[in-house]
């Protein structure tokens, strides 16, 4: 929906499909069995793969909207998102790999395979989605005057509200976290 393009959906799911294939390859390579616990792998991989791809696709569309050619927009988005997506993927995979110390074999298997899948999703985002953006680019984002101005006004007013009530919001959510 945010990409406003069927091609964007297919580009994002190219990352998901490749990551799924990588995950099931790890299952086979390590001779792990499929269990009810590892059955949730596709949902995890879809969430991670789509998140990685959407970061790239949104910035790509913004670059195209600013007049960049597909190759320039791809270079711009991959460079801009490189460190944040890499650090996020590494920390997420470490979190999943920590499941490997579990006494439950199926949970340990889930952690190992999901950890590799997160890294695969990042790799496929850069080495499959990146080239696909050059070969089959998304159209430049169209700024519809009234709608984009309305969204911008709403976003700016929300940020002003957050800035005005910064301290009470921080105290409120700190109390919620402590009570939780």
């Amino acid at each position: 929906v945010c990409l406003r393009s069927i091609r964007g959906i297919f580009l994002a799911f190219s990352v998901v499909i490749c990551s799924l294939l990588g995950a099931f390859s790890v299952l086979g390579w390590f001779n792990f069995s499929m269990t009810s616990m590892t059955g949730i792998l596709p949902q995890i991989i879809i969430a991670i793969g789509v998140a990685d791809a959407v970061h790239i696709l949104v910035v790509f569309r913004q670059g195209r909207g600013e007049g960049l050619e597909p190759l320039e927009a791809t270079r711009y988005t991959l460079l801009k998102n490189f460190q944040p997506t890499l650090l996020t993927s590494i920390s997420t995979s470490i979190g999943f790999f920590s499941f490997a110390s579990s006494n439950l074999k199926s949970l340990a298997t889930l952690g190992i395979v999901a950890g590799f899948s997160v890294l695969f999703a990042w790799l496929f985002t850069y080495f499959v989605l990146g080239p696909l953006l050059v070969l089959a680019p998304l159209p430049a984002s169209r700024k519809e005057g009234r709608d984009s101005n309305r969204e911008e006004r709403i976003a700016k007013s929300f940020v002003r509200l957050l800035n005005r009530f910064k301290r009470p919001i921080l105290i409120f959510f700190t109390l919620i976290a402590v009570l939780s």
Side-chain angles (χ1 to χ4, degrees):
V1 170
C2 72
L3 296 172
R4 295 182 178 96
S5 166
I6 296 294
R7 188 179 305 151
I9 293 168
F10 285 118
L11 288 172
F13 270 92
S14 69
V15 172
V16 171
I17 298 298
C18 291
S19 300
L20 279 168
L21 291 172
F24 289 114
S25 298
V26 168
L27 270 171
W29 185 263
F30 288 115
N31 203 22
F32 291 143
S33 58
M34 193 72 175
T35 64
S36 59
M37 187 73 72
T38 56
I40 65 170
L41 276 168
Q43 290 88 341
I44 293 170
I45 295 167
I46 288 170
I48 300 292
V50 168
D52 281 348
V54 166
H55 278 86
I56 300 300
L57 293 170
V58 166
V59 176
F60 177 84
R61 258 180 77 93
Q62 289 171 350
R64 293 280 290 141
E66 293 170 7
L68 296 177
E69 292 299 316
L71 182 61
E72 295 166 332
T74 301
R75 185 175 293 127
Y76 169 73
T77 189
L78 293 178
L79 287 174
K80 180 177 180 173
N81 287 299
F82 182 81
Q83 184 179 8
T85 57
L86 178 63
L87 294 176
T88 301
S89 295
I90 289 172
S91 61
T92 303
S93 67
I94 289 171
F96 279 120
F97 285 136
S98 72
F99 291 3
S101 63
S102 171
N103 291 332
L104 295 172
K105 186 179 179 196
S106 59
L107 183 60
T109 300
L110 172 70
I112 292 167
V113 178
F116 278 115
S117 299
V118 170
L119 296 175
F120 287 150
W122 185 84
L123 284 170
F124 291 128
T125 298
Y126 274 78
F127 295 106
V128 172
L129 181 61
L132 285 175
L133 285 175
V134 176
L135 298 173
L138 291 174
S141 63
R142 284 177 253 130
K143 300 243 180 190
E144 290 118 22
R146 209 172 66 193
D147 288 343
S148 67
N149 288 337
R150 181 175 164 261
E151 292 170 0
E152 194 172 318
R153 282 194 319 270
I154 291 170
K156 285 182 179 180
S157 65
F158 183 67
V159 170
R160 279 194 300 272
L161 178 82
L162 291 176
N163 279 329
R164 191 171 348 145
F165 297 106
K166 185 180 348 183
R167 186 175 300 271
I169 291 170
L170 186 61
I171 292 169
F172 175 75
F173 282 103
T174 302
L175 286 173
I176 295 278
V178 169
L179 291 174
S180 295

